Amino acid sequence: MRKIYLILMLFGLSQFAFSAGIDAANVEKSSINYTAITMFVVFVVATLGITYFSNKISQSTQGFYTGGGNISGVQNGIAIAGDYMSAASFLGIVSLVFSNGFDGLVYAIGFLVGWPIIMFLIAEKFRNLGKFTFADIVAYRLSSRSVRTISAISGLCVIVFYLIAQMVGAGLLIQLLFGLSYNTAVFLVGILMICYVTFGGMHATTWVQIIKAILLLGGCTFMAVMILILADFDLKHYFDMAIQNHEKKELIMQPGTFLPDPISAFSLGLGLMFGSAGLPHILMRFFTVKDAKEARKSVFLATGLIGYFYILTFIIGFGAIAFLLSNPDFIDSNGHFIVAKNMEAVVLAKVLGGNIFYAFIAAVAFATILAVVAGLAISGAGAISHDLFVNVIKNGNVDSKTELKVTRISTICLGILAILLGIAFNGQNVAFMVGLAFAIAASVNFPIILLCIYWRNLTTKGVLFGGLIGLISVLLLVILSPSVWVKVLGFETAIFPYDHPAIFTMPISFIAIYVFSKFDTSERAKIDKAGFNAQDFRAQSGVGISSAVAH
């Protein structure tokens, strides 16, 4: 296995160098930055080395999915923060602030405020009840095959949208740095992701996340400090510069430039807040620690790091307005800004710290994307292998060796799908694409998980049909929204007027689950309700007798 891994690693690097050389010779649109390439290659080799040495730990299902379950709360907290500090968070939010000013902050606030929900309602119970995937929680007291089917499908939908955002960001970044075509760049990211996950599993992904999170926080801190220094630490002067440079002038300091009505703003906020508690790749991280105490510690540390990071992205976004829009190097003869969408943060790094810092931020941004994509791939492979193949198709009659083999095949398939979708969605704002993933997580995964833990009358039929109605509703409204129906599919007008459907689809899911559960009088429903009062469930979930009666 290690020989195969070494061959793939060398092949990938050689293909990268070969592709960069060809494109550099024939494309004049972007010059090669050798400093950035050097830092990029150093990071890729270092992380592939981590993957290589993690291969031994990943030879079992426990090792592959959870890194052996012995990751500390502090390590896991940094890794969770690393999962959140994705391409959407760094490149996308800075780009949204750059384009729309104040409204870009809505994403940052929405991402952050979901963490208290995870900390107080889910984290400890999740760690106690589950094993590998979030579907394990639902299957704890309900019919395993039925609820795993809807949970896995919903989780895969979230992962696919999240993957699109990461692949788009990666493609643009490599295109900017190395002069490669966008499609070639996306292909290379997909190949590296497959190598990380297939051979390193959760252990390698966790350490890549930790290293990436520390480097990204350090780089963003430097950028924010440099912006404040250039503004003489005078925030009024800093914002006045941004207002003067931006075409929307004072409007960038007011809400409504990006989210034109209260329904859109509220719906987006709901999706981001409650979607955080339904993201499969985040929830999966609670299984990497040894107990509920460490899970709680993970969330507490991650909350602080994520909050600090989003403050930095807001400063960087307005800094890009203040210092890029007034820089003639980035304005063409017609007065148009020539930096690609989502790349404002990377280009600003060059203005603030020169070519070396620019290369550093670019390499770290790329590392951010690779690490998050790897985490998504593990979660997606788990849903396909552990939930659908092992527990639905084979009804649990599969040995761990076969399960691991199917997991790795699933990873390769997800990598190919990610490449195709990354190419198809070129040009979409990466933060917006993650917003769609959050809408699905909030509308389907969160209601199922919350009611499973806290509501005694929940039944298998309620989860299956209620979850299916919620999933169809959110996917249908996303497809009919302006961002997909018009911008992706090319129709003239959208059938559904809002880009963010959570305000409509969350109530639909809760009501559907409630109605189907309440009117379910089957024998299976009696077993499901009795399972809530069972001693083992109450002990594991922390729901006491009085709480069980109350619910």
Side-chain angles (χ1 to χ4, degrees):
M1 179 63 74
R2 292 199 174 195
K3 289 181 179 179
I4 296 173
Y5 175 78
L6 185 59
I7 292 170
L8 284 174
M9 181 182 72
L10 293 174
F11 174 77
L13 288 175
S14 66
Q15 288 301 300
F16 167 76
F18 178 69
S19 298
I22 290 178
D23 220 49
N26 295 285
V27 179
E28 297 179 359
K29 62 184 178 182
S30 178
S31 60
I32 292 182
N33 187 315
Y34 289 101
T35 306
I37 289 178
T38 301
M39 290 192 177
F40 167 83
V41 172
V42 167
F43 181 85
V44 169
V45 171
T47 52
L48 286 173
I50 293 172
T51 307
Y52 180 81
F53 289 108
S54 297
N55 184 248
K56 185 176 181 180
I57 298 174
S58 302
Q59 293 304 307
S60 66
T61 52
Q62 175 79 9
F64 186 91
Y65 290 131
T66 69
N70 294 317
I71 296 169
S72 71
V74 172
Q75 292 169 346
N76 198 46
I78 299 173
I80 290 174
D83 263 319
Y84 251 70
M85 290 185 281
S86 63
S89 297
F90 181 47
L91 303 177
I93 289 179
V94 170
S95 183
L96 280 175
V97 173
F98 179 83
S99 300
N100 305 287
F102 178 84
D103 271 2
L105 188 60
V106 174
Y107 272 86
I109 293 174
F111 287 141
L112 179 61
V113 297
W115 280 99
I117 298 170
I118 296 176
M119 179 182 291
F120 294 112
L121 294 180
I122 291 178
E124 292 187 42
K125 297 173 178 59
F126 208 88
R127 175 60 187 84
N128 289 339
L129 289 168
K131 184 180 181 183
F132 294 148
T133 67
F134 93 91
D136 290 338
I137 310 300
V138 189
Y140 196 91
R141 68 182 181 93
L142 305 180
S143 176
S144 177
R145 298 181 73 178
S146 299
V147 298
R148 281 187 189 276
T149 301
I150 186 63
S151 298
I153 293 172
S154 172
L156 285 170
C157 289
V158 173
I159 290 164
V160 165
F161 274 110
Y162 220 125
L163 270 175
I164 291 171
Q166 309 310 314
M167 299 302 287
V168 169
L172 291 172
L173 186 62
I174 296 184
Q175 185 181 31
L176 176 70
L177 286 177
F178 308 133
L180 297 176
S181 69
Y182 175 85
N183 292 356
T184 302
V186 169
F187 175 77
L188 290 171
V189 174
I191 294 299
L192 285 172
M193 177 200 79
I194 291 171
C195 288
Y196 283 150
V197 178
T198 303
F199 299 103
M202 182 61 81
H203 187 266
T205 301
T206 297
W207 279 103
V208 171
Q209 288 284 21
I210 290 171
I211 295 169
K212 179 266 300 192
I214 294 171
L215 292 176
L216 185 59
L217 282 173
C220 289
T221 299
F222 177 81
M223 290 181 72
V225 170
M226 288 300 298
I227 289 169
L228 296 176
I229 289 174
L230 291 175
D232 296 323
F233 288 93
D234 183 350
L235 293 181
K236 183 179 183 305
H237 175 61
Y238 165 65
F239 286 119
D240 284 344
M241 290 173 62
I243 292 171
Q244 181 181 352
N245 290 340
H246 205 282
E247 62 180 6
K248 297 177 181 178
K249 301 302 180 184
E250 290 84 0
L251 291 178
I252 64 171
M253 304 304 296
Q254 305 171 18
T257 56
F258 178 63
L259 300 168
D261 58 84
I263 292 179
S264 296
F266 191 58
S267 187
L268 173 62
L270 279 178
L272 296 178
M273 280 191 300
F274 295 102
S276 300
L279 294 177
H281 68 293
I282 298 292
L283 296 173
M284 196 173 183
R285 286 216 157 269
F286 295 128
F287 304 135
T288 65
V289 294
K290 63 181 179 180
D291 54 37
K293 180 181 177 181
E294 293 298 305
R296 184 172 63 250
K297 187 187 296 182
S298 298
V299 179
F300 183 79
L301 177 60
T303 303
L305 294 176
I306 292 167
Y308 174 66
F309 174 74
Y310 285 137
I311 292 173
L312 297 179
T313 59
F314 191 65
I315 295 173
I316 294 169
F318 271 95
I321 298 173
F323 300 113
L324 292 186
L325 288 178
S326 60
N327 192 318
D329 291 341
F330 308 116
I331 307 295
D332 65 16
S333 57
N334 296 318
H336 298 140
F337 187 65
I338 58 175
V339 174
K341 183 188 295 185
N342 299 312
M343 291 297 106
E344 296 89 349
V346 180
V347 175
L348 180 62
K350 190 170 187 176
V351 174
L352 298 175
N355 190 54
I356 293 178
F357 185 64
Y358 164 74
F360 172 80
I361 286 295
V364 171
F366 182 74
T368 295
I369 294 166
L370 277 180
V372 173
V373 165
L376 289 167
I378 290 177
S379 181
I384 295 170
S385 177
H386 180 68
D387 293 325
L388 294 178
F389 178 75
V390 174
N391 289 290
V392 175
I393 297 174
K394 294 295 185 180
N395 201 23
N397 299 317
V398 176
D399 59 84
S400 60
K401 185 176 180 180
T402 302
E403 180 178 351
L404 194 58
K405 181 180 179 180
V406 173
T407 302
R408 288 180 165 142
I409 294 172
S410 302
T411 300
I412 296 172
C413 294
L414 280 171
I416 295 171
L417 179 63
I419 291 169
L420 296 176
L421 291 174
I423 293 171
F425 281 81
N426 182 16
Q428 287 289 304
N429 183 282
V430 291
F432 172 76
M433 296 306 302
V434 169
L436 297 182
F438 273 69
I440 299 172
S443 301
V444 186
N445 297 355
F446 174 70
I448 289 175
I449 293 169
L450 187 71
L451 293 175
C452 182
I453 294 175
Y454 289 102
W455 190 40
R456 70 180 303 274
N457 290 320
L458 182 70
T459 68
T460 298
K461 187 179 292 185
V463 169
L464 180 61
F465 292 105
L468 187 61
I469 289 172
L471 180 60
I472 292 173
S473 299
V474 69
L475 288 176
L476 182 63
L477 293 185
V478 165
I479 292 171
L480 299 178
S481 70
S483 286
V484 176
W485 194 254
V486 176
K487 295 179 182 178
V488 176
L489 300 180
F491 292 97
E492 186 174 346
T493 57
I495 298 175
F496 179 69
Y498 303 105
D499 282 328
H500 307 286
I503 193 173
F504 303 100
T505 53
M506 280 187 68
I508 289 174
S509 293
F510 273 109
I511 292 170
I513 293 171
Y514 176 84
V515 170
F516 278 101
S517 296
K518 200 68 177 176
F519 291 96
D520 186 3
T521 58
S522 64
E523 288 300 316
R524 179 67 238 185
K526 296 176 183 178
I527 297 172
D528 296 337
K529 294 172 183 178
F532 184 88
N533 293 319
Q535 184 66 37
D536 60 337
F537 178 82
R538 287 186 285 119
Q540 288 291 94
S541 67
V543 179
I545 295 176
S546 60
S547 177
V549 173
H551 289 282

